[in-house]
Amino acid sequence: MARKERREVPVKVVNLGSREAGHLDFSREKLWRRMDGALGQKAVSTPVYLVNRKQMDYLYPPKRLLFLAPEQVQAWVRAKREREDREDEDRPPLRGLDTIPSDAYREVVAVGLYVSNVDHALQKPLRDRAEAEPEGALRNGPGIFLCPERVLSWGDRHGIDPSLVLDKVYYHELAHAFMDTGPTPYDELWGRIVEESLANWLSYQRFSGKEARWVQRLIQDEPAEYQGYLAVGQWAGWWPSTEDGTDLIRAAHFWFRGFFTGLGGRRLPRWVYRELWETYEAFIRRWYRILEWGFPVPPLLPILPLNSTQIKDGLVPVQIWRRAKARNLLTEDENRWFWARLAERVLEETFA
C-alpha cells in the first residue's frame, strides 16, 4: 500500500498564476496558532487561491472599489457635531457621505478577496491572465483569493515582514468567511462599514505586542470603512446604555423582534418592547458583573446566548451580525435603520 504524501499545510493552497507565490509561507506554525476553534473550522474547509494583480483586479467586484476617504469622513464628523443640536432625530443615517472610486486604495483593498461560491466559469479568464503556470484548479464552494505581489509590496512600503502582512490579510478574509451566514448588504454604505470593520476587528485580535501595532499601522492605509475596527469592537458596551431614548426603543424593537421572529412569533406593539427592554437591560447588566467572576451566561438569555469566553474575546458584535444575516433581518426597514445608525456611530467614534 502506497504511503500517503504528508502535507505541511492543513488547508488547500493553490497557485493560479502568481510569480511571487513562493514568497508566502503557509507552513509557519505561528499562522495557525493564531486561530481559535471556530476560525480553524472555517479555515480547513476554505481553500486559498494565489493570484497575480491582473487576476485579482478581474475578480474584484466594482462595488468593493468604492471608498470613503478618512479625510472626508473626519470633515463630515466635525460638521455633523457642529450642527448636531439642530438636526432632526429622524434624519437618514450617514447622510452627506459619498463614496468615491479611487485607485489609491486598490493595492491595500484588492489584496485579498473572499468568495462565498466560486464560479468555475472563472477558470479560463484566470488562466488567460496567469503569469506563472497554474498548479491547480478552482473547486466548488467558498474560497479565499490572495495576491502575493500586493502582500509583498504592502510590507515593503513599511518595512514589515511580509509574513505578518499575509497573516493580517488572510485573517481578514477568513473573518468574512466566518461571517458568511446570509446575504451581506455590501451595496449599502452601512453594510460595508459594519462588515469591513468587523472583519478587521476579528483579524486584529489575532495579534499582540509589536505585531498588533504593525497591524494597526497597516489598517491606517485602508479606507474609512475598514478603520472602525476598535469602535465596532466596543459595540457590546454601547447598546445596553444608549443615552438617546429613541435609539433605545428602536434597538429593543430590533433585538426582540428578531428573537420572536426566530421563534415564529409576530411583531409586538412598540410599548411592549420598551417594557421588555427595561427588564432585559437590568438583567443583562447584573449578568455582565457575574461574568467577570467566570460564570456562564444563562442559556435562556434571548438576545445574547453567548458564553463568557465569547464576551471576553469581543465576539459579541460578530455573533450578532452573523445571526442578523442568517435570519435575513437586514432587509427590513427598521433593522436597516438600526444598522445604519450603528455604522454612523462607528465612524463618529473612529474619526472624532
Side-chain angles (χ1 to χ4, degrees):
M1 180 177 177
R3 186 176 180 180
K4 291 185 178 180
E5 181 182 354
R6 182 176 178 179
R7 296 184 62 187
E8 294 183 356
V9 180
V11 303
K12 185 177 179 64
V13 180
V14 180
N15 181 12
L16 294 179
S18 169
R19 290 196 187 108
E20 305 296 336
H23 290 90
L24 300 189
D25 184 4
F26 283 89
S27 65
R28 291 172 295 110
E29 176 64 24
K30 180 179 283 189
L31 170 63
W32 307 106
R33 196 187 306 130
R34 300 186 198 277
M35 291 185 184
D36 55 22
L39 284 180
Q41 184 179 31
K42 185 60 66 175
V44 298
S45 62
T46 309
V48 176
Y49 302 106
L50 305 180
V51 295
N52 60 51
R53 284 184 172 94
K54 290 187 296 183
Q55 291 172 317
M56 180 62 85
D57 290 343
Y58 177 80
L59 290 167
Y60 220 83
K63 63 186 178 183
R64 288 201 176 191
L65 291 173
L66 296 175
F67 307 120
L68 288 174
E71 305 79 23
Q72 171 199 7
V73 178
Q74 285 177 333
W76 174 80
V77 169
R78 286 195 299 268
K80 179 178 180 296
R81 293 198 167 182
E82 288 174 0
R83 65 174 185 270
E84 200 166 50
D85 55 348
R86 303 191 301 275
E87 279 196 300
D88 181 3
E89 284 298 327
D90 291 328
R91 62 172 175 75
L94 301 171
R95 183 178 63 187
L97 277 176
D98 296 313
T99 55
I100 55 173
S102 172
D103 287 336
Y105 294 107
R106 184 184 294 270
E107 287 291 303
V108 298
V109 171
V111 64
L113 175 68
Y114 167 72
V115 177
S116 59
N117 190 19
V118 174
D119 186 350
H120 276 278
L122 294 172
Q123 190 72 55
K124 184 180 185 304
L126 289 181
R127 178 173 285 275
D128 292 342
R129 291 165 174 79
E131 296 175 349
E133 184 62 29
E135 297 175 354
L138 300 170
R139 76 179 191 186
N140 289 327
I144 290 175
F145 293 85
L146 300 177
C147 180
E149 287 81 357
R150 286 177 171 154
V151 168
L152 294 171
S153 64
W154 198 1
D156 186 60
R157 285 197 299 275
H158 297 295
I160 303 175
D161 183 347
S163 293
L164 181 61
V165 181
L166 168 63
D167 292 3
K168 185 273 180 194
V169 174
Y170 178 51
Y171 271 98
H172 180 94
E173 301 309 327
L174 196 58
H176 284 303
F178 181 68
M179 295 186 289
D180 183 23
T181 57
T184 299
Y186 212 87
D187 288 334
E188 303 279 355
L189 177 57
W190 57 267
R192 291 198 300 277
I193 293 169
V194 174
E195 178 81 8
E196 296 298 354
S197 292
L198 282 175
N200 262 353
W201 168 245
L202 206 54
S203 175
Y204 166 70
Q205 286 184 296
R206 307 298 111 187
F207 304 89
S208 61
K210 186 185 293 186
E211 286 188 333
R213 305 295 80 77
W214 276 119
V215 168
Q216 289 181 300
R217 177 62 190 87
L218 292 171
I219 292 174
Q220 280 187 334
D221 287 351
E222 296 179 308
E225 296 94 320
Y226 292 67
Q227 293 194 28
Y229 64 106
L230 292 179
V232 82
Q234 300 303 315
W235 166 12
W238 291 349
W239 57 264
S241 56
T242 309
E243 297 175 1
D244 185 338
T246 304
D247 282 355
L248 196 62
I249 296 172
R250 288 180 184 270
H253 183 82
F254 171 78
W255 299 122
F256 283 99
R257 181 180 176 187
F259 172 61
F260 287 114
T261 300
L263 293 180
R266 296 182 177 181
R267 181 184 301 191
L268 300 177
R270 183 157 292 182
W271 66 267
V272 175
Y273 293 103
R274 179 199 283 270
E275 296 298 323
L276 287 171
W277 181 260
E278 290 177 353
T279 302
Y280 175 71
E281 183 186 25
F283 185 57
I284 195 64
R285 283 179 181 279
R286 289 183 174 85
W287 271 105
Y288 275 155
R289 293 193 187 98
I290 295 175
L291 283 172
E292 295 176 357
W293 305 336
F295 289 91
V297 175
L300 296 180
L301 272 182
I303 307 308
L304 296 176
L306 303 168
N307 58 44
S308 57
T309 300
Q310 289 174 313
I311 292 178
K312 178 183 176 183
D313 291 346
L315 289 179
V316 172
V318 175
Q319 295 289 12
I320 293 174
W321 180 244
R322 292 178 75 236
R323 289 195 182 99
K325 290 201 289 187
R327 295 180 180 179
N328 201 28
L329 298 177
L330 304 181
T331 59
E332 301 175 2
D333 288 342
E334 291 192 0
N335 296 335
R336 290 162 63 88
W337 183 95
F338 175 81
W339 293 103
R341 286 281 283 174
L342 175 65
E344 184 175 77
R345 186 159 183 179
V346 165
L347 292 184
E348 289 184 62
E349 292 286 328
T350 302
F351 295 98

